Amino acid sequence: GDSVTQMEGPVTLSEEAFLTINCTYTATGYPSLFWYVQYPGEGLQLLLKATKADDKGSNKGFEATYRKETTSFHLEKGSVQVSDSAVYFCALSGSWGKFQFGAGTQVVVTP
Amino acid sequence: EAGVTQFPSHSVIEKGQTVTLRCDPISGHDNLYWYRRVMGKEIKFLLHFVKESKQDESGMPNNRFLAERTGGTYSTLKVQPAELEDSGVYFCASSQNRLTTGELFFGEGSRLTVL
């Protein structure tokens, strides 16, 4: 079945550092890919998405490109801030909108 | 517009007791999903309602879990009797669009602790 694998955390880095969170997937067909973020004390919210191969999703300085050849959707941000501290979930949407999520990667950004 | 709301935010019960979690989706969203995250692992799908009908309940762990969606509005998830391994965060999400490009809107989750 469909599955998502993302790098384990926690990832700890200093403010203004470069962030990469790896995500790979296994799916039949052509899923849509998503990154969701959960800030402390809040629910998950959509960060960005890509619906077809080679699409790039971007939001709040984050980017991820849908790579069909490597079945990947890595999340990147060039310069993180303390406010980016959160748990990040990679996800795919298959048939009927059923989402598969990765285990989440906790990111801690220190001043 | 109100978002997805869940109640309670945290519940602590003893093994063998019953707990009922409630979810109010965004008004007008026909699709309602329940997910669960246990011990910091991946968020796992439990079931999917389209209006009041169960579209997919393949993720429900066992018959101790019962989900309902009255009149296609709010939904409840009952665990009876609760076991230790049921502890985790239960998320509810809703969406308007059934297509694969649709975005899910999540509630803040209900944390269940079974002692």
Side-chain angles (χ1 to χ4, degrees):
Chain A
D2 297 351
S3 67
V4 174
T5 303
Q6 63 181 101
M7 62 188 288
E8 293 186 18
V11 174
T12 302
L13 55 166
S14 301
E15 207 164 22
E16 298 184 1
F18 184 87
L19 170 68
T20 298
I21 304 176
N22 290 337
C23 172
T24 57
Y25 68 91
T26 303
T28 54
Y30 304 95
S32 294
L33 302 175
F34 303 79
W35 276 99
Y36 278 81
V37 58
Q38 185 179 23
Y39 298 105
E42 300 183 12
L44 279 79
Q45 55 187 274
L46 179 67
L47 180 60
L48 53 84
K49 69 178 182 181
T51 58
K52 61 183 187 295
D54 300 325
D55 268 3
K56 176 185 284 188
S58 61
N59 186 25
K60 297 182 180 180
F62 289 88
E63 292 184 341
T65 301
Y66 189 145
R67 300 288 188 198
K68 189 171 183 293
E69 64 276 12
T70 55
T71 61
S72 64
F73 194 54
H74 304 322
L75 182 68
E76 296 181 338
K77 185 172 185 180
S79 177
V80 293
Q81 305 300 313
V82 173
S83 57
D84 293 324
S85 297
V87 182
Y88 294 81
F89 294 91
C90 186
L92 66 81
S93 173
S95 59
W96 296 100
K98 180 177 174 179
F99 279 59
Q100 294 286 343
F101 286 86
T105 302
Q106 183 177 10
V107 173
V108 178
V109 181
T110 58
Chain B
E1 177 183 286
V4 176
T5 57
Q6 293 186 243
F7 181 84
S9 58
H10 191 188
S11 180
V12 181
I13 61 173
E14 294 190 350
K15 176 183 172 180
Q17 290 186 320
T18 298
V19 64
T20 300
L21 310 178
R22 174 173 169 141
C23 169
D24 287 78
I26 293 173
S27 178
H29 282 193
D30 288 341
N31 296 280
L32 187 150
Y33 305 81
W34 283 98
Y35 287 84
R36 177 173 73 169
R37 188 180 192 217
V38 175
M39 289 291 290
K41 296 185 178 178
E42 68 267 28
I43 300 172
K44 288 198 169 182
F45 169 83
L46 295 179
L47 85 160
H48 169 206
F49 284 99
V50 178
K51 296 185 180 179
E52 68 275 8
S53 299
K54 292 177 184 175
Q55 177 69 43
D56 181 350
E57 53 183 332
S58 61
M60 294 288 265
N62 50 60
N63 59 10
R64 295 186 294 103
F65 288 74
L66 175 63
E68 295 179 326
R69 189 177 183 192
T70 306
T73 55
Y74 71 91
S75 174
T76 57
L77 179 64
K78 179 190 287 189
V79 184
Q80 179 182 30
E83 298 290 344
L84 299 179
E85 63 265 26
D86 300 333
S87 296
V89 181
Y90 291 78
F91 291 102
C92 176
S94 70
S95 73
Q96 186 174 44
N97 193 334
R98 286 191 338 188
L99 299 178
T100 58
T101 58
E103 173 186 348
L104 286 182
F105 294 85
F106 280 84
E108 294 183 12
S110 290
R111 180 176 296 275
L112 174 63
T113 302
V114 183
L115 303 176

